[in-house]
Amino acid sequence: MAILTIHPKDEAQEKALKTIFEAFSIKYEKEFDETEYLMSSKANYEALDENIAQLNAGNGVKISLEDLWK
């Protein structure tokens, strides 16, 4: 059987599709979106926002690939 990847445009479409899948006993999985998960926490969002601001201000540290595993 084929595997289909479906991209609903909003939560309403996602809910409707889940209802249809359940009605027809179609197995489905929701892929884990790390960015969405991290941004769902206010503390994580604030920390990420602060880190991005620091990088934009030039306060980041560059590590060469050769030094990465030392």
Side-chain angles (χ1 to χ4, degrees), residues 2-45:
I3 296 175
L4 306 174
T5 302
I6 298 171
H7 301 279
K9 69 177 180 180
D10 55 26
E11 288 184 34
Q13 277 190 351
E14 182 178 341
K15 186 177 178 181
L17 288 166
K18 285 180 179 181
T19 302
I20 292 169
F21 295 156
E22 290 167 3
F24 283 98
S25 299
I26 298 172
K27 288 180 16 179
Y28 63 90
E29 298 174 2
K30 182 174 181 178
E31 293 183 22
F32 181 72
D33 184 3
E34 291 181 24
T35 303
E36 185 179 319
Y37 172 75
L38 290 174
M39 299 306 278
S40 66
S41 165
K42 185 175 181 176
N44 285 345
Y45 182 84

Side-chain angles (χ1 to χ4, degrees), residues 37-66:
Y37 172 75
L38 290 174
M39 299 306 278
S40 66
S41 165
K42 185 175 181 176
N44 285 345
Y45 182 84
E46 290 172 354
L48 182 60
D49 198 36
E50 180 182 332
N51 291 332
I52 290 171
Q54 288 175 354
L55 285 173
N56 290 338
N59 296 329
V61 176
K62 285 190 178 184
I63 301 174
S64 69
L65 288 175
E66 294 81 26

